[in-house]
Amino acid sequence: MGDSRVGVVVITWQRRDEALACVERLLALPEEPHVVLVDNGSADGTAAAVRDRFPAVEVVALRENLGAVGRNIGVRRIRAPYVAFCDDDTWWEPGSLSRAADLLDAHPRLALVNARIVVEPSGREDPIVAELRDSPVPGPDWLPGPALGSFLAGASVLRREAFERAGGFHTRLWLGGEEELLATDLIAAGWELCYREDLTVHHRASVLRDAGHRRRVGLRNTLWFTWLRRPAGAAIRRTLFLATTVPRDRTSLLGALDAVRGLGWLVADRRPRPAVVEARLARLDETQRRSTARRYVG
């Protein structure tokens, strides 16, 4: 019968057909969410196509590709207390948004819930799900699922108030691993994040992607986050680990050079997370070193 507690923000770029399919699925959900589609400057007619076919959808057509910052813009258009993020090649399973809202209603210090991700058309779980389910991060007893130290934006429902207080996604990171910085800032502010098995997002990876560019930006963003929020010793160890494990190719070199170019603002904005938060989230280091789902080999 509809659920006014949750709105959905979709970001897209140059994927008109995927965006149309995504929006169609969202509008068919029993929750009947308010959908905001943020088009990151597509030149393929995405914004006009969505407006024409789905007039109930609020379309924000940007002049340039702002990456994840497009989500910040979309959240400002949502009046519901909770916001689900959706990429143009993902979609939420019916009932998941309402269940997420119930959890957020019941736990006022819970900022975000991350759903299980099912890869289509195979129907198998994404490899990252095992890491979410078995998260080593300790959490309070009241938390309704495994505590997380980061999340996947396209499979999460969050508390709008917490997102806005934390400042949303950082404007410099663009897209690729942008969640880690926001997650740390939420936890440092006293919020909690968790995984829930009974929430499901389906993901059919688009073939319209530049894997090399995504790897370059993802590596840069990982280094930037590391030096923005980790203490010096942990930052050095993580940097050395990346230096010895990423592919030795031009893409990795460019990612590292991009990271170095940000040295000036990194020094100015560096704010290591509180010791209690670092002690809690440092448990993720070993999981990330062993991860097969987080390699910069795209």
Side-chain angles (χ1 to χ4, degrees):
M1 298 297 293
D3 192 331
S4 61
R5 296 175 295 172
V6 189
V8 181
V9 172
V10 182
I11 58 171
T12 187
W13 181 72
Q14 298 289 83
R15 295 180 182 172
R16 181 181 59 191
D17 292 342
E18 283 100 330
L20 288 169
C22 171
V23 168
E24 184 173 27
R25 289 186 174 106
L26 291 173
L27 293 180
L29 291 174
E31 291 92 341
E32 300 176 1
H34 173 208
V35 177
V36 177
L37 179 132
V38 180
D39 178 32
N40 269 315
S42 298
D44 64 353
T46 296
V50 173
R51 283 194 184 107
D52 290 345
R53 186 168 171 183
F54 304 110
V57 173
E58 183 173 357
V59 177
V60 181
L62 304 180
R63 294 183 178 181
E64 59 182 315
N65 189 349
L66 298 182
V69 177
R71 297 191 188 109
N72 299 355
I73 295 169
V75 169
R76 295 182 199 134
R77 305 296 185 101
I78 298 289
R79 299 275 67 83
Y82 311 129
V83 182
F85 288 136
C86 199
D87 294 335
D88 50 22
D89 57 358
T90 67
W91 63 92
W92 287 88
E93 191 165 285
S96 287
L97 298 184
S98 285
R99 285 193 291 275
D102 290 342
L103 290 166
L104 292 164
D105 277 349
H107 304 285
R109 296 308 300 169
L110 181 60
L112 179 147
V113 285
N114 200 122
R116 185 173 68 102
I117 304 168
V118 175
V119 178
E120 302 296 351
S122 70
R124 297 189 181 94
E125 286 185 348
D126 189 290
I128 198 69
V129 170
E131 296 182 24
L132 300 173
R133 185 182 290 126
D134 300 327
S135 171
V137 177
D141 292 341
W142 59 260
L143 204 60
L148 300 179
S150 190
F151 64 99
L152 292 103
S156 61
V157 182
L158 56 90
R159 191 178 301 273
R160 182 167 56 85
E161 174 194 5
F163 181 84
E164 291 176 338
R165 284 188 182 183
F169 292 105
H170 199 290
T171 55
R172 289 184 182 269
L173 269 60
W174 192 66
L175 187 70
E178 71 279 0
E179 299 97 337
E180 198 167 17
L181 179 60
L182 176 58
T184 281
D185 289 348
L186 286 168
I187 294 168
W191 297 99
E192 296 291 341
L193 294 67
C194 79
Y195 167 74
R196 281 291 294 203
E197 189 85 4
D198 58 347
L199 311 179
T200 302
V201 162
H202 298 268
H203 180 208
R204 184 189 293 267
S206 174
V207 297
L208 302 175
R209 63 176 64 234
D210 185 341
H213 182 66
R214 290 292 293 270
R215 175 157 67 90
R216 172 180 174 177
V217 175
L219 177 57
R220 180 202 69 182
N221 286 351
T222 295
L223 289 167
W224 277 356
F225 160 75
T226 298
W227 287 97
L228 280 170
R229 293 293 183 267
R230 301 295 303 272
I236 292 170
R237 287 191 295 273
R238 194 175 191 188
T239 302
L240 291 175
F241 170 76
L242 291 171
T244 57
T245 58
V246 299
R248 296 179 178 275
D249 59 13
R250 184 174 183 272
T251 298
S252 296
L253 175 61
L254 291 173
L257 290 174
D258 291 342
V260 170
R261 291 189 185 101
L263 185 61
W265 76 270
L266 285 175
V267 171
D269 290 8
R270 178 170 162 78
R271 192 172 72 251
R273 56 200 186 191
V276 64
V277 176
E278 172 63 24
R280 179 180 172 188
L281 299 185
R283 299 192 185 192
L284 284 170
D285 289 348
E286 181 58 31
T287 298
Q288 292 177 343
R289 281 193 289 268
R290 291 186 283 103
S291 174
T292 59
R294 301 172 187 262
R295 299 298 185 190
Y296 296 96
V297 295

